[in-house]
Amino acid sequence: MTQFVPTSPLQRGIWFNEQLVALGSAYTVAVTAHLRGPVDVGRLARACTALAARHPLLTAGCHNLDGLPWLAVGEHPLTLAVEPAADGTVRERVERACRTRFDLSAGPLARVWWFPLGNGGGVLVLAAHHLIVDGRSKDILLRDLADRYGPDAPAVAAQPAGPGYTMPPEHLVVAATEYWWRNPPRPVELPRDGGVRPGDTVVRALTPRTRTRLAEAAVALDATRFELLLTVLANCLAPDDGPTSIAIELSVRTPADADRIGMYVNELPLTLPTPPTGSYAAALTTVRAGLRELYAHRTVPLAMCRPGTRPFLATAAVSVSYRRIAPGPVFAGVATTVDWSAFNGVARNALHVMIADGEQTHVTFQFPASAGARRRADALIDRVLVVLDRSLTAPQATLVRPQEEPPPWT
């Protein structure tokens, strides 16, 4: 039975952008899991069905009703597509699945693939439109899918299918409007040619030594891991003159939403004075103060504060997302390796930095594809890690500015 549920202001912003131009896979959110060992495909398919029962949003379609989007929950079953692939072709097929373009008018908004390999294992891909999932949703979905694959799957109630996030109260909108009047943003407008740019990506993992220093510095400097990492990024990405604007993906989840999938992310730009001067600890203080001021307005979409703002894919040319990832998931009887930063193949701004911080810490740069951009991104991400390690080791020392050729996104 189909149930129509309203969308939140954040969801309506995504939907509106999709109506204006062809965005391809710009709003596709994907996660992949390499399962090594004998996998029972029938049990995996049944787990997908149980997953959809737990999270009804996975069965939704989207319809325009009197000029507003509504989610039609129960319109599309979530099924497991099994596509045998040789070792030489599985990577290409996985990339294609991660870059799926979801048609909002036709549906479905979520899909699951299983690419079996000759050893009894394979690669699992779960992809969905950003209208119904965010980064935290990937953790929830893989964990719940693994639980339902096990022999003793828990019997739990379905999560509500509503938007979760609701309209912020008027006093918060007024306060946010005053804040953005003092700090006018410059969002990245939708492409005027009606399309998005192909993207490329480079990935690095923090060494165990750097992760240890990160944990120690968080205690010594009374800062979050995100604040420590963002301070170094802001330093390395800052232009030689003028302020730095970095869009921050902020969660608007409440404790009641902890186990629900959905779109609970509000991206807002943070403006910092540049170039940073003094020590890393001093720059950290500036970044922390700017973040704390921004956090007060995290529940208010930017478009609500600035009438006439053009539709945008990002609220700044450079954006950053950070997620703490819990251990797991554990699929019974098989070893699991998860790629939490699966790339959808599209560059939505000049540079997007993804930080996945769990049992390992991976930093991913996503940027418009070109031969020169990849070379510069490789050099810059390596430089960021060098400056990070040096800054964590001696936080009172002068913060070092990169000397290499500046990347195009600065």
Side-chain angles (χ1 to χ4, degrees), residues 240-271:
D240 292 331
D241 55 357
T244 300
S245 183
I246 299 178
I248 310 295
E249 293 190 359
L250 299 172
S251 173
V252 295
R253 288 177 182 271
T254 67
D257 305 319
D259 292 323
R260 295 174 61 173
I261 69 168
M263 200 293 187
Y264 294 91
V265 174
N266 186 20
E267 183 181 280
L268 297 175
L270 171 68
T271 301

PDB file of all heavy atoms in Angstrom, residues 240-271:
ATOM      1  N   ASP A 240      46.277  33.416  -1.093  1.00  0.00           N
ATOM      2  CA  ASP A 240      47.275  34.287  -0.484  1.00  0.00           C
ATOM      3  C   ASP A 240      46.680  35.561   0.095  1.00  0.00           C
ATOM      4  O   ASP A 240      47.282  36.208   0.948  1.00  0.00           O
ATOM      5  CB  ASP A 240      48.363  34.652  -1.506  1.00  0.00           C
ATOM      6  CG  ASP A 240      49.209  33.446  -1.881  1.00  0.00           C
ATOM      7  OD1 ASP A 240      49.355  32.551  -1.029  1.00  0.00           O
ATOM      8  OD2 ASP A 240      49.704  33.395  -3.024  1.00  0.00           O
ATOM      9  N   ASP A 241      45.503  35.951  -0.397  1.00  0.00           N
ATOM     10  CA  ASP A 241      44.869  37.146   0.143  1.00  0.00           C
ATOM     11  C   ASP A 241      43.359  36.933   0.181  1.00  0.00           C
ATOM     12  O   ASP A 241      42.810  36.129  -0.554  1.00  0.00           O
ATOM     13  CB  ASP A 241      45.199  38.380  -0.703  1.00  0.00           C
ATOM     14  CG  ASP A 241      44.830  38.192  -2.160  1.00  0.00           C
ATOM     15  OD1 ASP A 241      44.382  37.085  -2.513  1.00  0.00           O
ATOM     16  OD2 ASP A 241      44.984  39.130  -2.949  1.00  0.00           O
ATOM     17  N   GLY A 242      42.705  37.641   1.061  1.00  0.00           N
ATOM     18  CA  GLY A 242      41.264  37.529   1.182  1.00  0.00           C
ATOM     19  C   GLY A 242      40.861  36.344   2.048  1.00  0.00           C
ATOM     20  O   GLY A 242      41.671  35.500   2.407  1.00  0.00           O
ATOM     21  N   PRO A 243      39.570  36.266   2.390  1.00  0.00           N
ATOM     22  CA  PRO A 243      39.085  35.203   3.273  1.00  0.00           C
ATOM     23  C   PRO A 243      38.971  33.865   2.550  1.00  0.00           C
ATOM     24  O   PRO A 243      38.928  33.789   1.333  1.00  0.00           O
ATOM     25  CB  PRO A 243      37.704  35.712   3.696  1.00  0.00           C
ATOM     26  CG  PRO A 243      37.267  36.570   2.543  1.00  0.00           C
ATOM     27  CD  PRO A 243      38.517  37.215   2.016  1.00  0.00           C
ATOM     28  N   THR A 244      38.931  32.809   3.335  1.00  0.00           N
ATOM     29  CA  THR A 244      38.706  31.460   2.825  1.00  0.00           C
ATOM     30  C   THR A 244      37.271  31.063   3.119  1.00  0.00           C
ATOM     31  O   THR A 244      36.808  31.215   4.248  1.00  0.00           O
ATOM     32  CB  THR A 244      39.650  30.452   3.506  1.00  0.00           C
ATOM     33  OG1 THR A 244      40.992  30.822   3.243  1.00  0.00           O
ATOM     34  CG2 THR A 244      39.418  29.041   2.974  1.00  0.00           C
ATOM     35  N   SER A 245      36.565  30.553   2.125  1.00  0.00           N
ATOM     36  CA  SER A 245      35.197  30.067   2.319  1.00  0.00           C
ATOM     37  C   SER A 245      35.165  28.573   2.053  1.00  0.00           C
ATOM     38  O   SER A 245      35.498  28.129   0.955  1.00  0.00           O
ATOM     39  CB  SER A 245      34.225  30.796   1.389  1.00  0.00           C
ATOM     40  OG  SER A 245      32.895  30.371   1.629  1.00  0.00           O
ATOM     41  N   ILE A 246      34.795  27.817   3.064  1.00  0.00           N
ATOM     42  CA  ILE A 246      34.719  26.358   2.953  1.00  0.00           C
ATOM     43  C   ILE A 246      33.328  25.926   3.394  1.00  0.00           C
ATOM     44  O   ILE A 246      32.891  26.244   4.507  1.00  0.00           O
ATOM     45  CB  ILE A 246      35.782  25.670   3.826  1.00  0.00           C
ATOM     46  CG1 ILE A 246      37.191  26.075   3.379  1.00  0.00           C
ATOM     47  CG2 ILE A 246      35.630  24.158   3.769  1.00  0.00           C
ATOM     48  CD1 ILE A 246      38.295  25.469   4.229  1.00  0.00           C
ATOM     49  N   ALA A 247      32.628  25.218   2.523  1.00  0.00           N
ATOM     50  CA  ALA A 247      31.298  24.728   2.863  1.00  0.00           C
ATOM     51  C   ALA A 247      31.427  23.505   3.769  1.00  0.00           C
ATOM     52  O   ALA A 247      32.196  22.591   3.486  1.00  0.00           O
ATOM     53  CB  ALA A 247      30.521  24.370   1.601  1.00  0.00           C
ATOM     54  N   ILE A 248      30.673  23.504   4.855  1.00  0.00           N
ATOM     55  CA  ILE A 248      30.711  22.417   5.832  1.00  0.00           C
ATOM     56  C   ILE A 248      29.376  21.675   5.799  1.00  0.00           C
ATOM     57  O   ILE A 248      28.318  22.302   5.905  1.00  0.00           O
ATOM     58  CB  ILE A 248      30.954  22.955   7.258  1.00  0.00           C
ATOM     59  CG1 ILE A 248      32.164  23.908   7.278  1.00  0.00           C
ATOM     60  CG2 ILE A 248      31.138  21.798   8.223  1.00  0.00           C
ATOM     61  CD1 ILE A 248      33.471  23.259   6.958  1.00  0.00           C
ATOM     62  N   GLU A 249      29.432  20.368   5.655  1.00  0.00           N
ATOM     63  CA  GLU A 249      28.208  19.568   5.697  1.00  0.00           C
ATOM     64  C   GLU A 249      27.866  19.297   7.160  1.00  0.00           C
ATOM     65  O   GLU A 249      28.588  18.587   7.860  1.00  0.00           O
ATOM     66  CB  GLU A 249      28.386  18.267   4.923  1.00  0.00           C
ATOM     67  CG  GLU A 249      28.551  18.483   3.422  1.00  0.00           C
ATOM     68  CD  GLU A 249      28.488  17.197   2.626  1.00  0.00           C
ATOM     69  OE1 GLU A 249      28.330  16.120   3.245  1.00  0.00           O
ATOM     70  OE2 GLU A 249      28.584  17.269   1.388  1.00  0.00           O
ATOM     71  N   LEU A 250      26.749  19.862   7.606  1.00  0.00           N
ATOM     72  CA  LEU A 250      26.352  19.793   9.008  1.00  0.00           C
ATOM     73  C   LEU A 250      25.149  18.866   9.175  1.00  0.00           C
ATOM     74  O   LEU A 250      24.158  18.968   8.451  1.00  0.00           O
ATOM     75  CB  LEU A 250      25.990  21.189   9.521  1.00  0.00           C
ATOM     76  CG  LEU A 250      27.115  22.230   9.464  1.00  0.00           C
ATOM     77  CD1 LEU A 250      26.575  23.602   9.812  1.00  0.00           C
ATOM     78  CD2 LEU A 250      28.241  21.841  10.391  1.00  0.00           C
ATOM     79  N   SER A 251      25.235  17.976  10.139  1.00  0.00           N
ATOM     80  CA  SER A 251      24.117  17.083  10.423  1.00  0.00           C
ATOM     81  C   SER A 251      23.047  17.815  11.222  1.00  0.00           C
ATOM     82  O   SER A 251      23.357  18.605  12.125  1.00  0.00           O
ATOM     83  CB  SER A 251      24.604  15.871  11.213  1.00  0.00           C
ATOM     84  OG  SER A 251      23.506  15.074  11.633  1.00  0.00           O
ATOM     85  N   VAL A 252      21.786  17.562  10.875  1.00  0.00           N
ATOM     86  CA  VAL A 252      20.669  18.116  11.637  1.00  0.00           C
ATOM     87  C   VAL A 252      19.898  16.994  12.335  1.00  0.00           C
ATOM     88  O   VAL A 252      18.755  17.175  12.746  1.00  0.00           O
ATOM     89  CB  VAL A 252      19.722  18.949  10.741  1.00  0.00           C
ATOM     90  CG1 VAL A 252      20.439  20.170  10.197  1.00  0.00           C
ATOM     91  CG2 VAL A 252      19.167  18.107   9.586  1.00  0.00           C
ATOM     92  N   ARG A 253      20.543  15.837  12.479  1.00  0.00           N
ATOM     93  CA  ARG A 253      19.899  14.727  13.182  1.00  0.00           C
ATOM     94  C   ARG A 253      19.747  15.044  14.663  1.00  0.00           C
ATOM     95  O   ARG A 253      20.599  15.697  15.266  1.00  0.00           O
ATOM     96  CB  ARG A 253      20.729  13.446  13.040  1.00  0.00           C
ATOM     97  CG  ARG A 253      20.700  12.814  11.665  1.00  0.00           C
ATOM     98  CD  ARG A 253      21.604  11.594  11.612  1.00  0.00           C
ATOM     99  NE  ARG A 253      21.601  11.021  10.284  1.00  0.00           N
ATOM    100  CZ  ARG A 253      20.748  10.099   9.869  1.00  0.00           C
ATOM    101  NH1 ARG A 253      19.842   9.637  10.718  1.00  0.00           N
ATOM    102  NH2 ARG A 253      20.802   9.630   8.646  1.00  0.00           N
ATOM    103  N   THR A 254      18.689  14.540  15.233  1.00  0.00           N
ATOM    104  CA  THR A 254      18.475  14.573  16.670  1.00  0.00           C
ATOM    105  C   THR A 254      18.670  13.155  17.203  1.00  0.00           C
ATOM    106  O   THR A 254      18.745  12.197  16.427  1.00  0.00           O
ATOM    107  CB  THR A 254      17.057  15.056  17.000  1.00  0.00           C
ATOM    108  OG1 THR A 254      16.112  14.065  16.541  1.00  0.00           O
ATOM    109  CG2 THR A 254      16.764  16.394  16.320  1.00  0.00           C
ATOM    110  N   PRO A 255      18.771  12.975  18.518  1.00  0.00           N
ATOM    111  CA  PRO A 255      18.879  11.612  19.056  1.00  0.00           C
ATOM    112  C   PRO A 255      17.755  10.690  18.585  1.00  0.00           C
ATOM    113  O   PRO A 255      17.965   9.488  18.410  1.00  0.00           O
ATOM    114  CB  PRO A 255      18.830  11.831  20.570  1.00  0.00           C
ATOM    115  CG  PRO A 255      19.426  13.195  20.760  1.00  0.00           C
ATOM    116  CD  PRO A 255      18.951  13.995  19.573  1.00  0.00           C
ATOM    117  N   ALA A 256      16.582  11.251  18.345  1.00  0.00           N
ATOM    118  CA  ALA A 256      15.462  10.430  17.877  1.00  0.00           C
ATOM    119  C   ALA A 256      15.674   9.919  16.457  1.00  0.00           C
ATOM    120  O   ALA A 256      15.032   8.946  16.037  1.00  0.00           O
ATOM    121  CB  ALA A 256      14.167  11.236  17.944  1.00  0.00           C
ATOM    122  N   ASP A 257      16.572  10.567  15.709  1.00  0.00           N
ATOM    123  CA  ASP A 257      16.818  10.179  14.310  1.00  0.00           C
ATOM    124  C   ASP A 257      18.048   9.281  14.166  1.00  0.00           C
ATOM    125  O   ASP A 257      18.454   8.973  13.043  1.00  0.00           O
ATOM    126  CB  ASP A 257      17.040  11.427  13.444  1.00  0.00           C
ATOM    127  CG  ASP A 257      15.905  12.422  13.550  1.00  0.00           C
ATOM    128  OD1 ASP A 257      14.748  11.978  13.562  1.00  0.00           O
ATOM    129  OD2 ASP A 257      16.174  13.629  13.632  1.00  0.00           O
ATOM    130  N   ALA A 258      18.636   8.850  15.263  1.00  0.00           N
ATOM    131  CA  ALA A 258      19.933   8.168  15.215  1.00  0.00           C
ATOM    132  C   ALA A 258      19.922   6.928  14.335  1.00  0.00           C
ATOM    133  O   ALA A 258      20.917   6.616  13.679  1.00  0.00           O
ATOM    134  CB  ALA A 258      20.383   7.811  16.632  1.00  0.00           C
ATOM    135  N   ASP A 259      18.813   6.196  14.300  1.00  0.00           N
ATOM    136  CA  ASP A 259      18.740   4.945  13.540  1.00  0.00           C
ATOM    137  C   ASP A 259      17.878   5.055  12.294  1.00  0.00           C
ATOM    138  O   ASP A 259      17.509   4.048  11.701  1.00  0.00           O
ATOM    139  CB  ASP A 259      18.206   3.816  14.434  1.00  0.00           C
ATOM    140  CG  ASP A 259      19.185   3.448  15.528  1.00  0.00           C
ATOM    141  OD1 ASP A 259      20.399   3.470  15.271  1.00  0.00           O
ATOM    142  OD2 ASP A 259      18.734   3.145  16.651  1.00  0.00           O
ATOM    143  N   ARG A 260      17.559   6.284  11.892  1.00  0.00           N
ATOM    144  CA  ARG A 260      16.711   6.487  10.717  1.00  0.00           C
ATOM    145  C   ARG A 260      17.556   6.917   9.527  1.00  0.00           C
ATOM    146  O   ARG A 260      18.502   7.685   9.669  1.00  0.00           O
ATOM    147  CB  ARG A 260      15.659   7.558  10.999  1.00  0.00           C
ATOM    148  CG  ARG A 260      14.658   7.178  12.057  1.00  0.00           C
ATOM    149  CD  ARG A 260      13.730   8.331  12.398  1.00  0.00           C
ATOM    150  NE  ARG A 260      12.950   8.782  11.247  1.00  0.00           N
ATOM    151  CZ  ARG A 260      11.976   9.690  11.335  1.00  0.00           C
ATOM    152  NH1 ARG A 260      11.678  10.223  12.503  1.00  0.00           N
ATOM    153  NH2 ARG A 260      11.313  10.049  10.262  1.00  0.00           N
ATOM    154  N   ILE A 261      17.208   6.409   8.347  1.00  0.00           N
ATOM    155  CA  ILE A 261      17.826   6.920   7.136  1.00  0.00           C
ATOM    156  C   ILE A 261      17.051   8.154   6.693  1.00  0.00           C
ATOM    157  O   ILE A 261      15.913   8.382   7.106  1.00  0.00           O
ATOM    158  CB  ILE A 261      17.873   5.865   6.021  1.00  0.00           C
ATOM    159  CG1 ILE A 261      16.463   5.563   5.495  1.00  0.00           C
ATOM    160  CG2 ILE A 261      18.556   4.594   6.495  1.00  0.00           C
ATOM    161  CD1 ILE A 261      16.444   4.748   4.200  1.00  0.00           C
ATOM    162  N   GLY A 262      17.676   8.963   5.855  1.00  0.00           N
ATOM    163  CA  GLY A 262      17.005  10.154   5.362  1.00  0.00           C
ATOM    164  C   GLY A 262      18.024  11.211   4.998  1.00  0.00           C
ATOM    165  O   GLY A 262      19.236  10.995   5.042  1.00  0.00           O
ATOM    166  N   MET A 263      17.531  12.378   4.621  1.00  0.00           N
ATOM    167  CA  MET A 263      18.377  13.491   4.231  1.00  0.00           C
ATOM    168  C   MET A 263      18.434  14.456   5.409  1.00  0.00           C
ATOM    169  O   MET A 263      17.542  15.284   5.604  1.00  0.00           O
ATOM    170  CB  MET A 263      17.794  14.165   2.980  1.00  0.00           C
ATOM    171  CG  MET A 263      18.797  15.006   2.191  1.00  0.00           C
ATOM    172  SD  MET A 263      19.346  16.451   3.099  1.00  0.00           S
ATOM    173  CE  MET A 263      20.293  17.303   1.917  1.00  0.00           C
ATOM    174  N   TYR A 264      19.492  14.341   6.225  1.00  0.00           N
ATOM    175  CA  TYR A 264      19.640  15.136   7.434  1.00  0.00           C
ATOM    176  C   TYR A 264      20.899  15.998   7.370  1.00  0.00           C
ATOM    177  O   TYR A 264      21.586  16.166   8.376  1.00  0.00           O
ATOM    178  CB  TYR A 264      19.720  14.234   8.654  1.00  0.00           C
ATOM    179  CG  TYR A 264      18.454  13.459   8.964  1.00  0.00           C
ATOM    180  CD1 TYR A 264      18.244  12.192   8.448  1.00  0.00           C
ATOM    181  CD2 TYR A 264      17.471  14.006   9.782  1.00  0.00           C
ATOM    182  CE1 TYR A 264      17.106  11.480   8.734  1.00  0.00           C
ATOM    183  CE2 TYR A 264      16.313  13.306  10.077  1.00  0.00           C
ATOM    184  CZ  TYR A 264      16.133  12.036   9.549  1.00  0.00           C
ATOM    185  OH  TYR A 264      14.986  11.340   9.836  1.00  0.00           O
ATOM    186  N   VAL A 265      21.219  16.534   6.213  1.00  0.00           N
ATOM    187  CA  VAL A 265      22.449  17.308   6.050  1.00  0.00           C
ATOM    188  C   VAL A 265      22.111  18.689   5.504  1.00  0.00           C
ATOM    189  O   VAL A 265      21.396  18.817   4.504  1.00  0.00           O
ATOM    190  CB  VAL A 265      23.436  16.600   5.096  1.00  0.00           C
ATOM    191  CG1 VAL A 265      24.639  17.489   4.818  1.00  0.00           C
ATOM    192  CG2 VAL A 265      23.900  15.287   5.710  1.00  0.00           C
ATOM    193  N   ASN A 266      22.645  19.712   6.164  1.00  0.00           N
ATOM    194  CA  ASN A 266      22.500  21.091   5.711  1.00  0.00           C
ATOM    195  C   ASN A 266      23.904  21.639   5.478  1.00  0.00           C
ATOM    196  O   ASN A 266      24.694  21.737   6.420  1.00  0.00           O
ATOM    197  CB  ASN A 266      21.766  21.927   6.752  1.00  0.00           C
ATOM    198  CG  ASN A 266      21.469  23.332   6.268  1.00  0.00           C
ATOM    199  OD1 ASN A 266      21.466  23.603   5.065  1.00  0.00           O
ATOM    200  ND2 ASN A 266      21.217  24.241   7.202  1.00  0.00           N
ATOM    201  N   GLU A 267      24.234  21.959   4.241  1.00  0.00           N
ATOM    202  CA  GLU A 267      25.566  22.473   3.922  1.00  0.00           C
ATOM    203  C   GLU A 267      25.579  23.988   4.034  1.00  0.00           C
ATOM    204  O   GLU A 267      24.794  24.673   3.385  1.00  0.00           O
ATOM    205  CB  GLU A 267      25.966  22.038   2.507  1.00  0.00           C
ATOM    206  CG  GLU A 267      27.379  22.485   2.134  1.00  0.00           C
ATOM    207  CD  GLU A 267      27.763  22.071   0.730  1.00  0.00           C
ATOM    208  OE1 GLU A 267      28.145  20.899   0.537  1.00  0.00           O
ATOM    209  OE2 GLU A 267      27.664  22.923  -0.175  1.00  0.00           O
ATOM    210  N   LEU A 268      26.508  24.513   4.860  1.00  0.00           N
ATOM    211  CA  LEU A 268      26.623  25.952   5.068  1.00  0.00           C
ATOM    212  C   LEU A 268      28.088  26.366   4.947  1.00  0.00           C
ATOM    213  O   LEU A 268      28.984  25.627   5.362  1.00  0.00           O
ATOM    214  CB  LEU A 268      26.095  26.335   6.457  1.00  0.00           C
ATOM    215  CG  LEU A 268      24.608  26.068   6.717  1.00  0.00           C
ATOM    216  CD1 LEU A 268      24.264  26.382   8.162  1.00  0.00           C
ATOM    217  CD2 LEU A 268      23.731  26.866   5.757  1.00  0.00           C
ATOM    218  N   PRO A 269      28.353  27.560   4.388  1.00  0.00           N
ATOM    219  CA  PRO A 269      29.739  28.006   4.216  1.00  0.00           C
ATOM    220  C   PRO A 269      30.311  28.630   5.489  1.00  0.00           C
ATOM    221  O   PRO A 269      29.639  29.399   6.180  1.00  0.00           O
ATOM    222  CB  PRO A 269      29.643  29.038   3.095  1.00  0.00           C
ATOM    223  CG  PRO A 269      28.259  29.587   3.212  1.00  0.00           C
ATOM    224  CD  PRO A 269      27.397  28.466   3.730  1.00  0.00           C
ATOM    225  N   LEU A 270      31.570  28.299   5.765  1.00  0.00           N
ATOM    226  CA  LEU A 270      32.311  28.888   6.869  1.00  0.00           C
ATOM    227  C   LEU A 270      33.377  29.809   6.287  1.00  0.00           C
ATOM    228  O   LEU A 270      34.180  29.383   5.458  1.00  0.00           O
ATOM    229  CB  LEU A 270      32.972  27.790   7.707  1.00  0.00           C
ATOM    230  CG  LEU A 270      33.959  28.253   8.789  1.00  0.00           C
ATOM    231  CD1 LEU A 270      33.211  28.990   9.895  1.00  0.00           C
ATOM    232  CD2 LEU A 270      34.723  27.062   9.348  1.00  0.00           C
ATOM    233  N   THR A 271      33.376  31.061   6.706  1.00  0.00           N
ATOM    234  CA  THR A 271      34.362  32.029   6.211  1.00  0.00           C
ATOM    235  C   THR A 271      35.419  32.269   7.280  1.00  0.00           C
ATOM    236  O   THR A 271      35.095  32.570   8.426  1.00  0.00           O
ATOM    237  CB  THR A 271      33.683  33.355   5.837  1.00  0.00           C
ATOM    238  OG1 THR A 271      32.704  33.112   4.823  1.00  0.00           O
ATOM    239  CG2 THR A 271      34.702  34.347   5.308  1.00  0.00           C
TER     240      THR A 271
END
